[in-house]
Amino acid sequence: MWINQIQCCLLAVAHLYILIHLVYSQESDSSYKAQNLTCITHKVVEVICSWTIDSTDNLGFSYEFCYTIGNWPKNCSVTEERSQEFPLILFGSFHIEISTLNSSEEVKAPIATNTFVLNEKDIKLVPPTPRIHRLTPDFISDILELEWYDGGSNFLYQMDASWEIQILYKDPMEEVTLITYSSTLTGNDTLLYWKWTSNLPFNCTTHYVRIRCFLHDNIFAGIKDWSEWSQTEHIPGKDTGSFGAVYPIERIVPVGSNMTFCCVWKKGESKFLLKYQSCPPQQCPVASLSNWSKLIHVQNVSASPSSGTNIWCQGEIPPNPDTPLYGTVLFAGYPPDVPQNVSCETQDLKEIICKWEQGRPTKLYGQRKTSYTLIERISGRYVKYTGDNNHYQCNLLVLSNQTMYNITVHAANHLGQSEASLSINVKYRIHPQPPTDLTVTDNSPTNVSLSWYLPGSFMKTKLQFQVKVSNGTSTEEKKVHLDGTENSLYTILVDNLHPYTSYTFQVRCSAAEPFFWKWSNWSKGIPHRTQEAPPAGKLDVWREKSANEGTVIIFWKPLPVPERNGVIEGYEVSWIVPEEAMKKQSISELSNSIKIKLGKNDYIFTVVAKNKAGLSSPSLINSAEIPVGPVPTETGVAKEDGIQVAWPSDPSVTCGYTVRWCYGPEPCTAVNWETFPSNVTNPVIRSALFQPGVRYHFSVYGCKDNGYQLLKYIDGYTKELEPAVAPVFNVELTTSDSILIKWEGIPAEKSRGFLKGYLLHFGKGEEGTTKPKTFESGHRAINITNLEQKTLKISSLQGKTGYHLNLSGYTAGGIGPARSLYVVTKENAVGLIIAILIPVAIVIVLAVVTSILCYRKREWIKETFYPDIPNPENCKALEFPKDPEGNPNSKTLEMNPCTPNNIEVVETQTSCLKIEDAAIKLPVTEELPEDGLDSESESHIVVSYCPSIIEEEISNPPIDGSMGSSQVVYIDIQTMYPAPDKMKEDLEVDCVVAAGYKPQMQPPRNTEETTSVDEDLDKAAGYRPQVNAPSWNTDCPDSPVSMESNNENASFGSPCSINSRQFLIPPKEEEDSPEVINTGWSFANFFHNKPND
């Protein structure tokens, strides 16, 4: 236990000593103490440590550097530098003690000491500074090649390294690019290689290159850092003022590249303008590079023409003859495309021919175009292509001991290279040349021998040949197999040919299966005509018999060319006359008919054609004609370019049917016919001479043993057209409601088809207009389908009206032109008379009816329109103006309460006229009651007078003698209007029965008058206030005088109203028979008749 305590005490003493020593050293001189210890390693083998001191006095000092690691002994060394190198031991910690010594003292005592602990992670790994081994610039392509050693021998183990390559240019230097390059250190010094292409030509300005390194040591745990930059290498430029040019010179670049050009000029030259073809400055900016150079940037250059794109630099603007001008040319194109459609074959087994296509054009020409090389990989042979750029082909010799060939086509130009390859077996790529030297040898009119020559070495090869035989209208191909010959001559037999026919022979060749590859091209054609033979066919014959002349004309058609088998030299016609030798006539080859006199007999004629080789087969025809009855005519059917004719089959026909027609009118000079076998009865006749719209007349004959018999006529058209002309028509008769027209038929030659009928269009219109408006909307049309009809009556027309008539014919081909007429119908007399009589009759009837009505209503008419006494209500003089509300302003007839002017009523005992059944209507009446009013006891009655419209019915009152009479005294009225001398002094008044004002009463009168008055009262109706005019005083001023009364001042009723100074209108009095007239008017009077009796 005590031993441990001793160790602890010793350790504490040691630590105390160290602390005291440190404090003493600091107190002695801390400015000489080593500080900022930095340790680096370059090769991970040794460590270089450096330090600093604060003292600025660096003379006469040395440093003792001591280090220990683990249990290793302490290593010390004295140095006058502030750095020390010692071995690096990985995975360990160093204890370093640095003492500052005074070198001037004999005994070098430490001035200051400092201790450090150095771990591996505190050491910085800095690779050795690299060194550029070689810098090689290419001023033509502006490519530099950089070489340097990686220093791998300095390291004991393998590790990765990164290199930074910095490119700078011009003065002062500016960085152009910074490239990182990777490599691996293998323990040996390896020469590294790097190539770089500059966008700016090296001639434009000086370029600088330097490198540095970084090690990726996975074992070393310390700090890793880049090495120092190597020494800078440079590439001198031409911008020194001694040269004048534009760079780069004739550069070849891919289309779409970005280019930089520069112009350098000599000292003393200035104000240079740099231009790229026609590129504007905003797209091709120009910048200053140095004192004697400028540069221009061009983006995405396009393909150049064959002469290239110009870039120039010109000084002293504006230019003069001595102005310096520098320039260069740029060629922009494409790298070579992969050769297209490469194929190799042999034509003669002697050499292989390889062909290919360029593909995309490179846009590079002349010395810059693409070069091609044909390489055979198995034998190692190659052939360079030396032809033009239109046909790419190279030939390679075939080796006798080699059948397989691996062929490559290599293409290269300044921008790149490409290639295409294929392998072939030469036996499967035989494409022979066209055969030559064809010859034809006649064997007979139908076969020949054909020979030819085929260049090539095909002795051991099976060949096949194809022979083309053409006669101008048809072509036939024949195939034969032959073995290859040593002399390359081949012969075959061609048969089944036609005599005297021109043929063209052609041959082509190929390898037979299984080596077939391609046919050769056809050889040149060789023409040849075969030999003649007798005509092969029979002549097609017909006859036209003339009974009147006793002759017959034999017609025949020339043989078709294929049946002639040679040149026809003529014809022979023969016939046998009874009891005579055969007759024969020869006809020239230019004729196709002969006229023969028959006499009274018919014959069978034989016709043959002849050439140099012989005669044709004979054609027989009988001149006899079997009589027949009436022959029907039918219509043919148009069929495309022909006419279909049909007839019933006849069992007695033994040698077929003949259809005969003529293109012109009869008699026919150019007869045409066609012969059909007995089983054909509905053929289609076709001819190149047929025309649309032309009618053709066909005759059908049946060939029997004893002659020909006419069976039928047929008319037809190949195509029907509309009529060419309009029918001619005119008006035969015109009435007021109809028109009769007559027309002529259209001739057959003008109808241009089978006429189906006529169309008549008619409608109202004016003369001079070709197409009336009614034709467009409301016209009428009549279709006439009866072709035999030639007249038509148009009915239901209007009289004295103009009509347009259009008549046209139509066929299946359409409606032909129309002919027009303008017709005016006649006037209708009966209608005119009726139009006059009807209004007259209507007027007479109306007059009679009016007269009857007026006669029956004559009284009403008289009272209504011209009465004897006008009704005051209808009098305009009594109309008064109205206020704005429509009420009358006059106060005269208003029934308003009013105060009378002292009216005295004196009653007497005399008899009075009693008025019964009086009805007084007061629409506006107000009674003013008076005290003490009594008709029986009082002798004075005060009456309020209010004018009103009163209708009063009066009957004959009985005369009561007991009733008293009253006398009315008008004080004010009589005062205002003095009474005349004739006026009676005493007036008697009737008793007042009704209330209100009743002044117009009947005063006392004699019996005679009473009787007449009673009768009048019985007849009176309505308001009759003015009853007995003579009883009143008529001396009112301005009172009217009746124009019909004998009394000078005749009036009735009250002579004057209390507020009016005019007399009321007196009634009419007749001397002989007095009657009461109702002057009032009401609507009921219109329906009543009042006789005057």
Side-chain angles (χ1 to χ4, degrees):
M1 186 69 180
W2 60 272
I3 297 174
N4 292 334
Q5 293 178 354
I6 294 173
Q7 291 178 351
C8 291
C9 292
L10 293 175
L11 182 61
V13 171
H15 281 84
L16 180 61
Y17 172 77
I18 293 171
L19 290 175
I20 293 172
H21 179 73
L22 290 174
V23 172
Y24 173 77
S25 63
Q26 291 177 356
E27 290 178 355
S28 59
D29 195 349
S30 62
S31 63
Y32 296 100
K33 186 189 296 184
Q35 302 180 38
N36 301 326
L37 179 67
T38 302
C39 297
I40 64 173
T41 179
H42 294 297
K43 303 176 182 179
V44 199
V45 175
E46 69 281 339
V47 179
I48 300 175
C49 293
S50 60
W51 60 90
T52 62
I53 59 176
D54 291 339
S55 175
T56 58
D57 186 5
N58 295 327
L59 300 178
F61 293 102
S62 61
Y63 304 94
E64 183 183 18
F65 184 88
C66 298
Y67 68 92
T68 61
I69 180 171
N71 295 325
W72 288 16
K74 184 177 181 181
N75 295 317
C76 296
S77 61
V78 178
T79 178
E80 294 182 357
E81 301 292 335
R82 295 177 188 163
S83 63
Q84 184 62 38
E85 179 178 345
F86 59 92
L88 173 62
I89 300 175
L90 299 178
F91 312 112
S93 298
F94 293 89
H95 293 273
I96 298 174
E97 182 180 282
I98 302 174
S99 301
T100 303
L101 305 177
N102 191 349
S103 300
S104 60
E105 296 179 356
E106 293 181 2
V107 179
K108 299 180 180 178
I111 300 174
T113 302
N114 199 356
T115 302
F116 303 91
V117 177
L118 180 64
N119 296 317
E120 182 181 345
K121 64 180 181 179
D122 298 326
I123 301 173
K124 182 183 294 185
L125 174 59
V126 178
T129 302
R131 184 174 64 85
I132 296 176
H133 176 67
R134 183 184 294 113
L135 178 63
T136 305
D138 184 352
F139 289 92
I140 296 177
S141 61
D142 294 322
I143 297 174
L144 65 82
E145 295 179 357
L146 180 64
E147 296 176 303
W148 72 97
Y149 286 99
D150 62 357
S153 61
N154 296 326
F155 302 95
L156 301 178
Y157 51 89
Q158 182 175 329
M159 68 181 69
D160 294 332
S162 295
W163 308 84
E164 277 191 349
I165 306 171
Q166 187 180 39
I167 309 295
L168 304 101
Y169 75 145
K170 73 179 185 178
D171 293 317
M173 291 188 293
E174 295 180 5
E175 182 180 279
V176 176
T177 184
L178 182 65
I179 304 298
T180 300
Y181 181 88
S182 299
S183 68
T184 301
L185 305 182
T186 60
N188 298 317
D189 291 336
T190 303
L191 184 64
L192 301 180
Y193 174 82
W194 179 74
K195 182 165 58 174
W196 175 73
T197 301
S198 174
N199 292 329
L200 181 65
F202 294 144
N203 288 316
C204 294
T205 189
T206 301
H207 286 70
Y208 303 91
V209 181
R210 60 182 181 177
I211 61 175
R212 64 178 178 175
C213 180
F214 184 88
L215 298 178
H216 302 277
D217 190 350
N218 297 326
I219 299 176
F220 180 73
I223 302 171
K224 304 175 185 67
D225 198 0
W226 288 96
S227 70
E228 297 293 331
W229 285 105
S230 69
Q231 184 179 356
T232 302
E233 299 290 335
H234 73 280
I235 303 172
K238 296 293 183 65
D239 57 341
T240 60
S242 302
F243 301 93
V246 175
Y247 298 102
I249 299 174
E250 295 189 0
R251 178 66 55 83
I252 302 172
V253 297
V255 173
S257 301
N258 299 329
M259 291 297 297
T260 301
F261 299 90
C262 72
C263 174
V264 297
W265 58 85
K266 300 176 182 179
K267 293 181 180 179
E269 299 175 347
S270 61
K271 298 182 180 179
F272 273 80
L273 177 64
L274 184 58
K275 293 275 292 185
Y276 176 85
Q277 198 81 350
S278 59
C279 182
Q282 59 270 21
Q283 296 183 9
C284 301
V286 178
S288 179
L289 188 60
S290 66
N291 294 333
W292 296 284
S293 63
K294 283 185 178 180
L295 59 82
I296 182 171
H297 296 283
V298 181
Q299 303 289 328
N300 192 20
V301 296
S302 57
S304 303
S306 59
S307 60
T309 303
N310 295 322
I311 304 95
W312 69 93
C313 180
Q314 190 173 19
E316 293 188 8
I317 303 172
N320 56 63
D322 298 329
T323 298
L325 179 64
Y326 310 111
T328 187
V329 180
L330 175 69
F331 296 94
Y334 299 95
D337 196 2
V338 175
Q340 305 292 315
N341 303 325
V342 179
S343 64
C344 294
E345 60 189 17
T346 180
Q347 292 182 336
D348 51 12
L349 288 179
K350 294 179 180 179
E351 62 180 5
I352 299 173
I353 301 174
C354 293
K355 298 179 181 179
W356 65 91
E357 296 176 0
Q358 177 185 14
R360 181 187 60 191
T362 61
K363 301 297 182 180
L364 299 177
Y365 308 93
Q367 299 177 354
R368 292 164 289 278
K369 69 179 182 180
T370 303
S371 62
Y372 293 92
T373 303
L374 183 67
I375 305 172
E376 203 286 299
R377 302 292 184 183
I378 297 176
S379 63
R381 295 176 297 161
Y382 66 91
V383 179
K384 284 188 172 293
Y385 171 71
T386 58
D388 56 19
N389 291 341
N390 295 327
H391 303 283
Y392 296 95
Q393 174 181 320
C394 283
N395 296 348
L396 187 67
L397 290 178
V398 175
L399 301 180
S400 59
N401 58 350
Q402 182 179 353
T403 57
M404 292 299 300
Y405 294 86
N406 293 333
I407 297 174
T408 299
V409 179
H410 181 81
N413 65 10
H414 292 80
L415 301 178
Q417 57 186 2
S418 63
E419 62 182 25
S421 302
L422 79 162
S423 296
I424 65 168
N425 186 335
V426 70
K427 290 185 177 181
Y428 288 88
R429 290 293 186 271
I430 299 176
H431 184 198
Q433 298 181 29
T436 60
D437 301 332
L438 270 69
T439 59
V440 180
T441 304
D442 286 317
N443 298 327
S444 71
T446 57
N447 67 78
V448 296
S449 296
L450 181 63
S451 302
W452 64 88
Y453 174 79
L454 180 65
S457 178
F458 301 107
M459 270 195 309
K460 298 179 181 181
T461 306
K462 189 75 172 178
L463 300 176
Q464 62 179 351
F465 296 91
Q466 196 170 21
V467 180
K468 182 190 293 185
V469 182
S470 175
N471 60 3
T473 58
S474 62
T475 300
E476 183 181 0
E477 293 182 357
K478 300 179 180 181
K479 185 182 294 186
V480 294
H481 291 79
L482 300 174
D483 292 328
T485 63
E486 185 177 0
N487 59 1
S488 300
L489 290 176
Y490 303 89
T491 301
I492 63 170
L493 181 67
V494 182
D495 55 2
N496 296 327
L497 301 178
H498 195 276
Y500 200 72
T501 303
S502 295
Y503 290 97
T504 300
F505 299 93
Q506 289 179 286
V507 182
R508 66 177 179 175
C509 176
S510 72
E513 296 292 344
F515 302 109
F516 175 78
W517 167 243
K518 288 180 181 180
W519 284 102
S520 70
N521 294 331
W522 287 102
S523 66
K524 291 183 179 180
I526 177 172
H528 180 76
R529 186 190 294 272
T530 56
Q531 297 176 342
E532 288 190 66
K538 296 172 60 176
L539 292 172
D540 188 2
V541 297
W542 179 244
R543 89 284 183 281
E544 291 283 321
K545 186 177 180 181
S546 176
N548 296 331
E549 298 180 359
T551 59
V552 65
I553 301 176
I554 308 298
F555 296 94
W556 60 87
K557 295 179 181 178
L559 287 173
V561 174
E563 297 180 2
R564 295 177 185 178
N565 292 343
V567 178
I568 301 298
E569 296 180 342
Y571 302 93
E572 288 185 359
V573 179
S574 61
W575 67 98
I576 299 176
V577 179
E579 300 178 356
E580 293 184 11
M582 177 183 291
K583 290 188 176 182
K584 184 184 297 185
Q585 288 189 7
S586 296
I587 300 96
S588 169
E589 73 277 6
L590 301 178
S591 300
N592 67 338
S593 64
I594 182 174
K595 187 174 184 181
I596 300 174
K597 201 165 189 178
L598 293 176
K600 297 181 179 180
N601 299 321
D602 287 312
Y603 305 101
I604 297 176
F605 295 91
T606 301
V607 185
V608 295
K610 61 181 179 180
N611 61 12
K612 290 181 179 181
L615 299 176
S616 67
S617 300
S619 298
L620 303 178
I621 188 167
N622 195 338
S623 64
E625 191 162 332
I626 303 173
V628 294
V631 179
T633 302
E634 296 183 0
T635 301
V637 179
K639 289 288 185 180
E640 297 178 355
D641 57 344
I643 302 171
Q644 185 178 25
V645 295
W647 58 86
S649 178
D650 189 348
S652 62
V653 174
T654 59
C655 49
Y657 298 94
T658 299
V659 179
R660 180 258 190 198
W661 72 92
C662 185
Y663 291 113
E666 299 288 352
C668 185
T669 57
V671 178
N672 292 272
W673 71 93
E674 193 166 345
T675 304
F676 301 96
S678 301
N679 60 347
V680 176
T681 58
N682 58 346
V684 176
I685 309 299
R686 292 181 173 87
S687 174
L689 300 178
F690 283 161
Q691 297 180 2
V694 178
R695 181 178 297 186
Y696 296 97
H697 185 72
F698 300 93
S699 302
V700 180
Y701 291 88
C703 179
K704 300 182 179 181
D705 294 336
N706 56 344
Y708 285 88
Q709 184 179 15
L710 179 61
L711 303 179
K712 184 182 292 186
Y713 292 118
I714 299 176
D715 293 338
Y717 294 87
T718 58
K719 181 180 180 182
E720 293 189 58
L721 303 178
E722 67 278 1
V725 298
V728 178
F729 77 106
N730 52 50
V731 177
E732 293 290 316
L733 179 64
T734 303
T735 65
S736 61
D737 63 347
S738 66
I739 298 174
L740 178 64
I741 63 172
K742 183 178 181 181
W743 65 89
E744 299 177 1
I746 300 175
E749 61 273 10
K750 298 294 184 181
S751 63
R752 302 201 299 180
F754 295 109
L755 201 62
K756 300 293 184 181
Y758 301 93
L759 286 177
L760 175 65
H761 294 264
F762 64 94
K764 297 179 183 180
E766 298 179 358
E767 186 175 7
T769 58
T770 58
K771 188 177 182 181
K773 293 182 179 179
T774 52
F775 271 37
E776 300 177 357
S777 57
H779 74 281
R780 296 173 56 189
I782 299 176
N783 186 10
I784 306 167
T785 57
N786 184 7
L787 299 179
E788 301 297 328
Q789 180 181 347
K790 292 296 184 290
T791 61
L792 178 67
K793 184 179 181 180
I794 307 171
S795 304
S796 302
L797 303 180
Q798 296 181 4
K800 203 175 182 179
T801 304
Y803 287 90
H804 283 275
L805 308 180
N806 287 351
L807 183 63
S808 59
Y810 65 93
T811 64
I815 301 174
R819 189 178 298 274
S820 301
L821 287 178
Y822 179 76
V823 183
V824 179
T825 57
K826 294 181 179 180
E827 186 175 359
N828 192 350
V830 176
L832 179 62
I833 294 173
I834 293 174
I836 295 174
L837 291 180
I838 289 177
V840 173
I842 292 174
V843 171
I844 293 173
V845 171
L846 291 176
V848 172
V849 172
T850 303
S851 300
I852 294 172
L853 292 177
C854 290
Y855 178 76
R856 295 188 63 184
K857 296 292 183 177
R858 61 185 181 279
E859 293 300 332
W860 172 81
I861 294 173
K862 180 180 179 182
E863 293 177 2
T864 301
F865 296 103
Y866 47 94
D868 294 338
I869 299 176
N871 192 341
E873 296 178 0
N874 297 331
C875 181
K876 298 295 183 178
L878 298 180
E879 291 185 357
F880 303 101
K882 297 181 180 181
D883 58 11
E885 298 179 357
N887 300 318
N889 291 329
S890 175
K891 304 299 182 177
T892 304
L893 299 179
E894 291 184 359
M895 297 177 62
N896 295 327
C898 60
T899 302
N901 293 332
N902 297 329
I903 299 176
E904 290 187 9
V905 179
V906 180
E907 296 184 358
T908 61
Q909 295 299 322
T910 60
S911 61
C912 63
L913 178 62
K914 183 178 179 181
I915 302 174
E916 297 180 352
D917 300 331
I920 303 174
K921 296 180 181 179
L922 303 175
V924 185
T925 306
E926 184 179 355
E927 295 183 357
L928 299 176
E930 299 287 344
D931 293 338
L933 178 60
D934 190 0
S935 60
E936 296 180 358
S937 62
E938 296 294 330
S939 60
H940 294 83
I941 299 174
V942 179
V943 181
S944 297
Y945 172 72
C946 294
S948 62
I949 301 172
I950 301 174
E951 295 181 1
E952 188 174 332
E953 297 179 359
I954 303 176
S955 62
N956 293 327
I959 303 174
D960 191 358
S962 64
M963 292 181 63
S965 61
S966 301
Q967 184 176 4
V968 181
V969 180
Y970 293 89
I971 298 175
D972 291 340
I973 297 176
Q974 294 177 358
T975 302
M976 295 174 61
Y977 302 94
D981 294 337
K982 295 181 179 181
M983 184 178 179
K984 295 181 180 181
E985 296 178 357
D986 297 328
L987 297 175
E988 296 181 357
V989 297
D990 296 336
C991 297
V992 179
V993 181
Y997 172 59
K998 302 289 290 183
Q1000 292 99 348
M1001 297 299 178
Q1002 296 179 357
R1005 54 188 177 276
N1006 53 25
T1007 305
E1008 293 81 4
E1009 295 176 352
T1010 304
T1011 302
S1012 62
V1013 170
D1014 293 339
E1015 295 176 356
D1016 295 335
L1017 292 175
D1018 292 337
K1019 300 176 181 178
Y1023 173 59
R1024 306 244 351 138
Q1026 303 155 342
V1027 177
N1028 196 356
S1031 63
W1032 301 101
N1033 189 356
T1034 60
D1035 290 337
C1036 295
D1038 301 328
S1039 62
V1041 178
S1042 177
M1043 300 300 296
E1044 300 179 2
S1045 178
N1046 294 329
N1047 190 355
E1048 182 179 358
N1049 296 321
S1051 67
F1052 51 92
S1054 178
C1056 298
S1057 63
I1058 59 176
N1059 59 356
S1060 175
R1061 301 180 63 182
Q1062 300 293 334
F1063 282 107
L1064 297 178
I1065 301 174
K1068 179 181 178 182
E1069 294 183 0
E1070 297 183 0
E1071 295 178 356
D1072 297 334
S1073 59
E1075 60 183 12
V1076 179
I1077 303 299
N1078 184 13
T1079 60
W1081 186 89
S1082 65
F1083 185 74
N1085 293 335
F1086 182 80
F1087 302 97
H1088 293 82
N1089 184 21
K1090 295 182 179 181
N1092 188 14
D1093 50 18

